[in-house]
Amino acid sequence: QVQVVESGGGLVQPGGSLRLSCAASGTIFRIDPMRWYRQPPGKERVLVATITSGGGTNYADSVKGRFTISRDNAKNTAVLQMNSLKPEDTAVYYCQITYYANSYSYILHTTLDAWGQGTLVTVSS
């Protein structure tokens, strides 16, 4: 069983910053990409940022230059630092991991996905 837990959401004024954290625990041999998605009210969930196990990153155009994703492989954690927040950043933010449950699945390149429950970020004055 794998659990993914996000934290750090809340209410912030436009131009402010928030730091979201993601912690994965359970039967995990290795995590490959860790991703942050967001789902604005009444809209679909979209990918915001990705970080590979090697530290490579990718961002949605809407957050480039404002958001930074990082991770600690030893602790199975990821952080999304969000600066210069805008009202359109308001959404529920979800952490998603792609992982290998054990060494056998790693050898076979068999991955599983797990999601957190989400944390609400509201940007408003």
Side-chain angles (χ1 to χ4, degrees):
Q1 185 114 12
V2 170
Q3 288 188 323
V4 179
V5 179
E6 305 99 334
S7 61
L11 174 64
V12 63
Q13 292 187 340
S17 298
L18 275 179
R19 181 181 173 94
L20 304 184
S21 296
C22 170
S25 61
T27 306
I28 298 172
F29 176 75
R30 173 178 170 147
I31 299 175
D32 255 348
M34 301 183 78
R35 302 179 178 93
W36 286 96
Y37 287 77
R38 69 184 181 187
Q39 187 167 15
K43 297 185 179 180
E44 293 189 351
R45 193 174 301 187
V46 296
L47 180 62
V48 173
T50 301
I51 185 166
T52 67
S53 57
T57 59
N58 196 32
Y59 298 92
D61 287 343
S62 58
V63 306
K64 279 181 182 176
R66 300 188 297 121
F67 290 12
T68 302
I69 187 171
S70 60
R71 66 187 283 174
D72 184 329
N73 289 334
K75 297 180 179 179
N76 288 338
T77 58
V79 168
L80 186 67
Q81 178 66 43
M82 306 186 295
N83 298 327
S84 303
L85 283 161
K86 305 175 181 179
E88 52 264 42
D89 294 318
T90 295
V92 177
Y93 284 72
Y94 298 90
C95 179
Q96 183 261 330
I97 66 168
T98 298
Y99 69 99
Y100 301 96
N102 50 54
S103 58
Y104 185 65
S105 62
Y106 181 68
I107 291 170
L108 294 179
H109 298 281
T110 303
T111 59
L112 297 170
D113 289 339
W115 290 82
Q117 81 291 345
T119 185
L120 177 62
V121 172
T122 303
V123 185
S124 175
S125 54

